[in-house]
Amino acid sequence: VVRSELSEDLTQYKIAVLGATFKPDSDDVRDSPALDIAVQLQAAGADVVVHDPKGIEPARKRFPKLKYAEVVTDAVKDADLILHLTEWKEYRELDPSVIGQLVKSKFLIDGRNALDRDKWRAAGWRVHALGRSD
């Protein structure tokens, strides 16, 4: 989906990945689809920065070459795309207007269908929710 939405050549893009753990309220990154996606995007040349409330250290041990941000606003700064991949409460509470001032492009892919699409769209975001047609 990312390549079809951005470009086949991802080398010019910064992608913020929100969520590294297998599930929220955990630091378990074993078999984490979010980290697999982050690694694939980085391998394709994208500048990937991962944020997770509890999973950064375990993720860093598994994938030391990925970039990590301890603070979500640092992860999204100048991003061309935000990928929401773990259903943390912290991400649902983000203010899309505030986040919109930090990013390069207001483009969000909600891989968990957990964010309020209407709220993000009202703040000027292009939102793609996986598995949904709207």
Side-chain angles (χ1 to χ4, degrees), residues 3 12 34 36 40 44 52 56 64 68-69 96 103 133:
R3 286 184 182 190
Q12 60 194 350
D36 291 342
Q40 289 171 15
D52 191 277
I56 289 177
Y68 298 92
V103 297
S133 59

Side-chain angles (χ1 to χ4, degrees), residues 14-52:
K14 177 180 178 185
I15 300 172
V17 173
L18 301 186
T21 56
F22 175 71
K23 62 182 181 179
D25 302 317
S26 164
D27 67 354
D28 188 355
V29 297
R30 295 171 296 164
D31 300 320
S32 166
L35 282 176
D36 291 342
I37 291 167
V39 168
Q40 289 171 15
L41 292 171
Q42 184 186 51
D47 178 15
V48 178
V49 180
V50 178
H51 175 270
D52 191 277

Side-chain angles (χ1 to χ4, degrees), residues 41-90:
L41 292 171
Q42 184 186 51
D47 178 15
V48 178
V49 180
V50 178
H51 175 270
D52 191 277
K54 292 185 180 176
I56 289 177
E57 287 313 311
R60 194 185 316 263
K61 286 178 182 149
R62 282 198 63 211
F63 299 104
K65 292 185 179 178
L66 281 173
K67 291 182 190 173
Y68 298 92
E70 300 288 332
V71 181
V72 71
T73 52
D74 291 343
V76 303
K77 185 165 176 34
D78 299 323
D80 296 286
L81 167 65
I82 295 177
L83 285 178
H84 173 243
L85 299 179
T86 307
E87 300 172 51
W88 286 95
K89 180 181 180 204
E90 177 177 335

